[in-house]
Amino acid sequence: MLIRNRRRSECSHSEITPPEVYARRREFLRAGVGLGAGLALGGLGMALPASAALRGFPLEFEGSDYSTDESKTAYDEITSYNNFFEMGPGKSDPKTYADQLKTDPWTITVDGLCENPGEYAVEDFISPWSLEERIYRMRCVEGWSMVIPWIGFELNRIIEKAQPRGGARYVAFESIYDPDNLRGQRRRRGSSGGLEWPYTEGLRLDEAMHPLTILAVGLYDEVLPNQNGAPIRVVVPWKYGFKSIKSIQHIRFVEDQPPTLWNQAQSDEYGFYSNVNPDVDHPRWSQRTERRIGEFRRRRTEMFNGYADEVASLYEGMDLTRYI
Ligand code: MTE
């Protein structure tokens, strides 16, 4: 087990992050947010888009106790070999058509069964939180994997702020729907065999609350590139990659297990849980091994993608060959 396993309860966030670093991050965000929120740029008289404002700032974030120390996948691989079906089905489509994703302005709605619903400009949504680097192993259902240094914050911050009501048992997420710009969304909605846009995903509330589950806004020292789910995406490292929904605009607390894009498309192949499990084959291929992008030899896939010590207890008593 390569993950260092210090539990959240053993240390407060302020212990992990020295106060001066914490303050610097807030400075950085405020600066970015100030510009992004529409301050005119001196004599140019132009508003600088939020993403561009953030891009100009150096990000220096120390490692987290939840990070793996395995070698990171190269930036170029992480940003050129992608799944982002809104831009097409090919691995190179997301980078090629990245400009079709319009991220400014960007609003995120939090609603459903919670005490504090809200609608936020993405800058305001991000700015209250200190950002952390989380180096996570990611395993795609198709059999390839990467190690990605994300920059983000724990989803549980948002959930605590929203205060879900007693009846809320799941969190449903929705991505952007913009068929005028996103080539992959044209003429597909509702058509037989097509995908049901927008991309939707869901987590059980305890999975969403787990400290490994983050909202990422950057990778390496960069603002998240469009092809990786700008301006903000979910990252759940113990589940197959498709659970990590990109470019989210809606977070809703619900009572019943929410429909998800891949589960609706092919429920026998893509279950709601989709925990990485080498013992359960995909109906069309084995999940025993994976190819780490940048490596030649295949490696054995680990239960829960190597995060069993952290998350196995979430599924105690569940038959994981049935709840795929
Ligand atoms: N989110 C949206 N909105 N659209 C997508 O097509 N693809 C998923 C997931 N999130 C997808 C998405 C799949 S199948 C994978 S493997 C991961 O994103 C890939 O993330 P990456 O390209 O950043 O590695």
Side-chain angles (χ1 to χ4, degrees):
M1 170 55 41
L2 288 150
I3 273 251
R4 274 159 280 149
N5 191 19
R6 189 151 79 142
R7 297 272 165 207
R8 192 171 171 71
S9 53
E10 290 171 30
C11 54
S12 74
H13 205 266
S14 55
E15 279 168 1
I16 302 172
T17 311
E20 61 287 0
V21 176
Y22 193 86
R24 234 190 308 130
R25 288 176 188 175
R26 283 175 171 265
E27 274 308 302
F28 143 76
L29 270 167
R30 253 198 301 274
V33 170
L35 289 168
L39 273 191
L41 254 190
L44 294 176
M46 276 167 52
L48 191 65
S51 51
L54 293 175
R55 194 167 280 130
F57 288 81
L59 300 165
E60 293 173 36
F61 304 143
E62 80 279 25
S64 155
D65 290 327
Y66 288 106
S67 289
T68 175
D69 49 17
E70 285 178 61
S71 313
K72 292 177 258 185
T73 304
Y75 181 83
D76 283 351
E77 305 269 24
I78 297 172
T79 57
S80 63
Y81 190 83
N82 301 100
N83 275 333
F84 203 164
F85 287 78
E86 284 85 336
M87 290 151 198
K91 299 286 178 260
S92 58
D93 287 342
K95 186 175 180 188
T96 306
Y97 300 104
D99 287 350
Q100 294 187 351
L101 179 69
K102 308 297 175 199
T103 59
D104 190 36
W106 193 274
T107 305
I108 298 177
T109 305
V110 179
D111 63 9
L113 299 170
C114 65
E115 299 299 332
N116 289 324
E119 201 176 293
Y120 307 87
V122 68
E123 302 83 14
D124 301 334
F125 187 77
I126 299 167
S127 64
W129 320 112
S130 61
L131 301 180
E132 258 187 65
E133 185 185 62
R134 292 287 180 93
I135 307 170
Y136 282 167
R137 282 182 296 272
M138 305 298 295
R139 167 65 156 84
C140 183
V141 73
E142 296 162 351
W144 46 273
S145 64
M146 297 191 190
V147 175
I148 303 185
W150 301 108
I151 291 167
F153 58 94
E154 291 175 11
L155 173 62
N156 56 39
R157 304 292 169 98
I158 299 296
I159 298 175
E160 278 160 15
K161 184 175 172 189
Q163 290 186 37
R165 298 216 183 100
R169 293 173 54 232
Y170 294 87
V171 188
F173 304 93
E174 213 173 273
S175 296
I176 183 175
Y177 181 60
D178 183 15
D180 287 345
N181 288 304
L182 294 167
R183 62 195 286 274
Q185 288 186 329
R186 284 176 211 146
R187 298 192 309 278
R188 303 272 278 176
R189 198 176 211 187
S191 65
S192 62
L195 299 172
E196 288 287 334
W197 301 111
Y199 197 104
T200 47
E201 257 309 332
L203 294 170
R204 227 171 47 191
L205 187 58
D206 58 346
E207 297 177 321
M209 286 294 292
H210 194 282
L212 278 173
T213 306
I214 60 167
L215 291 173
V217 298
L219 65 84
Y220 274 97
D221 287 349
E222 298 277 338
V223 166
L224 210 55
N226 282 5
Q227 59 267 36
N228 292 92
I232 185 164
R233 69 173 295 175
V234 174
V235 177
V236 199
W238 72 93
K239 293 177 179 283
Y240 291 116
F242 65 85
K243 295 294 289 184
S244 292
I245 179 172
K246 297 175 169 183
S247 304
I248 55 165
Q249 292 194 325
H250 207 133
I251 298 175
R252 182 179 290 132
F253 297 96
V254 295
E255 185 171 354
D256 299 319
Q257 185 177 300
T260 65
L261 178 133
W262 290 112
N263 187 245
Q264 279 175 313
Q266 277 158 301
S267 59
D268 57 329
E269 302 199 355
Y270 309 108
F272 177 80
Y273 284 93
S274 285
N275 294 312
V276 173
N277 188 342
D279 300 332
V280 176
D281 291 344
H282 182 279
R284 290 184 278 141
W285 58 80
S286 161
Q287 295 289 17
R288 290 238 160 255
T289 63
E290 66 200 56
R291 190 173 76 82
R292 180 71 50 87
I293 298 296
E295 290 180 358
F296 178 69
R297 215 179 296 232
R298 292 184 75 85
R299 35 168 94 212
R300 281 182 47 226
T301 288
E302 308 244 7
M303 188 66 196
F304 297 113
N305 200 25
Y307 297 94
D309 286 355
E310 286 80 10
V311 300
S313 61
L314 296 176
Y315 309 102
E316 240 163 48
M318 280 175 74
D319 178 355
L320 294 180
T321 60
R322 208 175 128 229
Y323 291 98
I324 56 159

